Amino acid sequence: MRILIYGAGAVGSFLGGILTAAGKDVTLVARGAQHDALAARGLMLEGPKTGRPEPVRVRVCRPGEEKPPYDLIFVGLKSQQIEDNARHMAGLLARDGVIIFAQNGINWWYFEKLDSPLKGTSLPSLDPNGVIKRTFPIDSVIGGIINKPAEIVEPGRVRLVDQPGDRLIIGELDNRVTPRLKEIASVVEAAGWTAVATDNVRQFKWRKQLSNAVFNPLGAVTQSSARQIGGFEPARRAAKLMMDEVVAVAASVGVQIDMSPDEMLDGLQKRIEIPSSTLQDVRFGRALELSALTNAVVDIGRLTGVPTPYLEVMAALAGTLNQRIIEDGVSFPPAVVRRP
């Protein structure tokens, strides 16, 4: 099996690193300083359990330098980057190859192969021009959810937080548990990351969305971790109002989230603090992944008649921050304030 990790961010690098260390045929696609660091020094994975004492010598290339075809492509890009790279990625896939989209939030494939009145619906926030849907053969697509806190501390160096719930969840869009699904899960599992082949990928998607849709944008705007937000009572109340809207929208498309907002908020207090991917993007001056995280929930609410006023306010605030990052070319790294 020839594997391509298209987008060597924190999680993509982690997956590529452990698969490489397990002896698999893996290529990572990276740009700029990340590419240069991986090529020169290898990949440093730092963590109490999944870390490695020595750099992993990964095979890395820039976009356009790949050597297709690939049997499995794991898309490590953010949702807003997929459209611009869709045609290129589709051309790298083997005839019977598989491509895994496991981005945070609601994904462009959500209503494909779904037994629902909304089957085949494209959400304007995710694939406004239908480019992604037209580009990828739908039978090659597998959906996924990533539970693995990680951050790039510097190019080529990834810090990992090891928690009991760490896992990669993958599922067919029609909810069948197929041989290819089991094979991919077994390959990842053998490399040292728990992998689940599920018959209901959307159920897992909404459970994580209960957190992502709220704490990623709220954390970006307030420069706070989910744990800090949950520990400040006024912010906790605001977060719960938004989480209640997520629960209602999920129910409107037939998904009952198996965790209440209060249960998730309480659980956050037990987690190790690490900046969310959205807060990391704010600090590095990168475009924010808001369309899949919050805007898509608002889109679905409009389709099904569920009001989402609190999420819409949150989307407007985080969207304004995103505009400043993009239009002004700024970042907001933390700075120590020295008080007298």
Side-chain angles (χ1 to χ4, degrees):
M1 179 186 292
R2 299 190 69 224
I3 302 171
L4 184 72
I5 310 294
Y6 198 93
V11 174
S13 294
F14 163 68
L15 178 58
I18 62 172
L19 288 172
T20 297
K24 301 302 178 183
D25 183 348
V26 185
T27 301
L28 286 75
V29 178
R31 302 174 186 267
Q34 179 75 345
H35 169 275
D36 296 345
L38 293 175
R41 302 189 297 274
L43 171 66
M44 284 299 303
L45 295 174
E46 299 177 357
K49 293 181 180 178
T50 48
R52 305 276 170 160
E54 301 293 332
V56 180
R57 300 300 305 188
V58 296
R59 182 188 301 124
V60 62
C61 71
R62 298 179 181 87
E65 298 176 346
E66 307 91 349
K67 297 180 180 179
Y70 294 95
D71 304 300
L72 172 62
I73 298 177
F74 181 89
V75 182
L77 302 177
K78 298 290 178 68
S79 294
Q80 71 270 20
Q81 299 170 323
I82 293 174
E83 181 176 337
D84 289 343
N85 292 275
R87 188 180 299 276
H88 178 63
M89 287 191 291
L92 301 174
L93 198 61
R95 181 182 298 274
D96 297 319
V98 175
I99 186 163
I100 296 179
F101 291 91
Q103 284 67 34
N104 278 337
I106 302 298
N107 300 144
W108 68 270
W109 49 260
Y110 187 89
F111 289 111
E112 299 302 315
K113 295 189 175 184
L114 183 64
D115 184 14
S116 161
L118 294 173
K119 181 178 180 179
T121 298
S122 294
L123 297 176
S125 56
L126 299 179
D127 191 16
N129 303 308
V131 171
I132 302 173
K133 185 175 178 178
R134 291 194 303 271
T135 301
F136 293 104
I138 199 62
D139 288 340
S140 70
V141 174
I142 286 177
I145 299 93
I146 296 166
N147 291 326
K148 183 63 184 176
E151 65 174 327
I152 296 179
V153 180
E154 62 183 19
R157 180 179 161 212
V158 177
R159 181 167 71 95
L160 306 163
V161 174
D162 298 318
Q163 300 182 136
D166 289 357
R167 55 186 173 170
L168 172 67
I169 302 163
I170 53 175
E172 298 281 4
L173 305 192
D174 59 6
N175 290 335
R176 294 180 301 132
V177 179
T178 58
R180 70 180 188 178
L181 202 65
K182 293 178 180 178
E183 180 184 7
I184 295 167
S186 67
V187 168
V188 174
E189 186 95 29
W193 190 14
T194 299
V196 177
T198 180
D199 62 357
N200 195 344
V201 67
R202 294 170 181 85
Q203 174 76 45
F204 285 100
K205 178 64 66 176
W206 278 106
R207 179 170 182 164
K208 189 173 183 185
Q209 187 70 344
L210 186 61
S211 171
N212 282 159
V214 175
F215 292 106
N216 280 55
L218 185 54
V221 169
T222 63
Q223 291 279 302
S224 303
S225 69
R227 183 177 176 183
Q228 289 168 329
I229 293 167
F232 181 54
E233 189 57 35
R236 179 185 172 112
R237 290 196 299 268
K240 187 175 183 301
L241 289 169
M242 288 183 275
M243 294 169 82
D244 287 340
E245 292 180 355
V246 175
V247 170
V249 173
S252 76
V253 290
V255 177
Q256 303 298 320
I257 300 178
D258 59 352
M259 174 179 280
S260 72
D262 280 320
E263 288 173 330
M264 179 162 284
L265 283 159
D266 291 342
L268 289 171
Q269 300 309 302
K270 303 173 184 177
R271 295 180 61 178
I272 299 172
E273 276 191 337
I274 189 170
S276 71
S277 59
T278 310
L279 181 51
Q280 291 177 46
D281 288 341
V282 169
R283 292 177 173 177
F284 283 100
R286 300 186 292 239
L288 309 184
E289 196 175 18
L290 300 175
S291 293
L293 298 180
T294 307
N295 299 347
V297 180
V298 173
D299 281 350
I300 296 174
R302 289 172 179 160
L303 286 172
T304 59
V306 176
T308 55
Y310 296 106
L311 286 172
E312 290 182 42
V313 170
M314 188 70 260
L317 295 175
T320 304
L321 173 60
N322 190 43
Q323 287 299 104
R324 300 282 60 75
I325 292 170
I326 295 171
E327 294 178 4
D328 300 341
V330 296
S331 62
F332 299 91
V336 177
V337 177
R338 300 193 182 279
R339 297 182 176 88

